[in-house]
Amino acid sequence: LNSTGIELATQSDVDLDRQLRVDGLGNLIAGLCGGMVGYLGVAYSLLNYKAGANSRLAGLVASGLCLVILFWGAPILAYLPRAVMGGLLLYLGLTLLVEWVYDAWFKLSRLDYALVLLILLIVATRSFLAGVGIGIIIACLLFVVSYSHVHVIKYAATGAEQRSNVERSFLHLKELNEKGKQIYIVCLQGYVFFGTAHSILDHVRQCFGNPELPKIRFLLLDFRLVTGLDSSALFSLLRLKQLTQIGKVA
């Protein structure tokens, strides 16, 4: 998101793949050295761009100053008043609170905003790692719930409604018109997992038990738009196979 914002502001292209690789490598090295996580900053990047610092020299100078402060800056920092350091920490903390408590109210959904407040409460009362860990778990659960609402069945049709591109004779077309309703086609889409796999089974079961529909002799599942499936989806498909065997459906 930050890279896209810089692209718009500078009217230039950013190699997102390279940027992610560099950020990931830098964060790994920083973590091994006891440092903090870093990412592309829009404000400082645009400040350098407007000041004319468009080369890699700006990043090298900034990193060099950080190294100087790391190895030889302790005596200099000792002369700074404690109020300055405390004010800096207070400023950073208030900036984060304004961004994630006040500004987030107008940007995030109410559910996401409640999750942000919960993480903030856990960080304040327990620890930072506990807040981040619980936040990740809840975010994963919310993703599963929201993705399970996506319809995995794109459409369903009979053989009389959906035809192939093969040119057929008049007799064959007449045969398909008469017996095509005995063929039931279910087109699937997306990722099939435990939250959506059971809906396929329920849909086919309802079709088998619907007295208004003609008896289904052939069931065709179209997986061309499916991106993947998990083990629970395989169990649902095996159960579907058992239903077809009981109903003598091919």
Side-chain angles (χ1 to χ4, degrees), residues 54-121:
N54 301 329
S55 64
R56 297 180 180 178
L57 183 60
L60 294 176
V61 171
S63 60
L65 289 176
C66 291
L67 287 176
V68 170
I69 295 297
L70 176 64
F71 291 105
W72 299 285
I76 300 176
L77 294 177
Y79 290 100
L80 293 177
R82 293 184 178 180
V84 175
M85 303 302 296
L88 179 61
L89 294 177
L90 181 62
Y91 170 76
L92 294 176
L94 290 177
T95 302
L96 292 175
L97 286 177
V98 170
E99 180 181 358
W100 288 105
V101 176
Y102 178 76
D103 294 340
W105 173 264
F106 305 99
K107 298 178 181 179
L108 302 177
S109 64
R110 295 298 171 259
L111 187 60
D112 292 338
Y113 184 76
L115 178 59
V116 171
L117 293 182
L118 178 62
I119 294 175
L120 178 62
L121 180 63

Side-chain angles (χ1 to χ4, degrees), residues 155-164 176-177 180-181 183-185:
Y155 67 87
T158 63
E161 299 169 345
Q162 183 171 349
R163 301 290 179 81
S164 64
L176 284 175
N177 290 331
K181 294 183 179 181
I183 305 173
Y184 195 70
I185 305 169

Side-chain angles (χ1 to χ4, degrees), residues 166-184:
V166 179
E167 294 290 340
R168 303 183 185 277
S169 63
F170 176 77
L171 294 177
H172 289 169
L173 291 177
K174 182 180 179 181
E175 190 75 13
L176 284 175
N177 290 331
E178 294 176 355
K179 300 182 179 180
K181 294 183 179 181
Q182 299 178 3
I183 305 173
Y184 195 70

Side-chain angles (χ1 to χ4, degrees), residues 10 26 59 72 82 141 199 213 233 238:
T10 60
W72 299 285
R82 293 184 178 180
L141 293 176
S199 62
L213 296 177
L238 290 176

Side-chain angles (χ1 to χ4, degrees), residues 210-225:
N210 192 347
E212 298 180 357
L213 296 177
K215 180 177 175 55
I216 298 175
R217 294 186 56 192
F218 302 95
L219 176 64
L220 176 62
L221 299 180
D222 188 352
F223 284 88
R224 288 179 297 176
L225 301 179

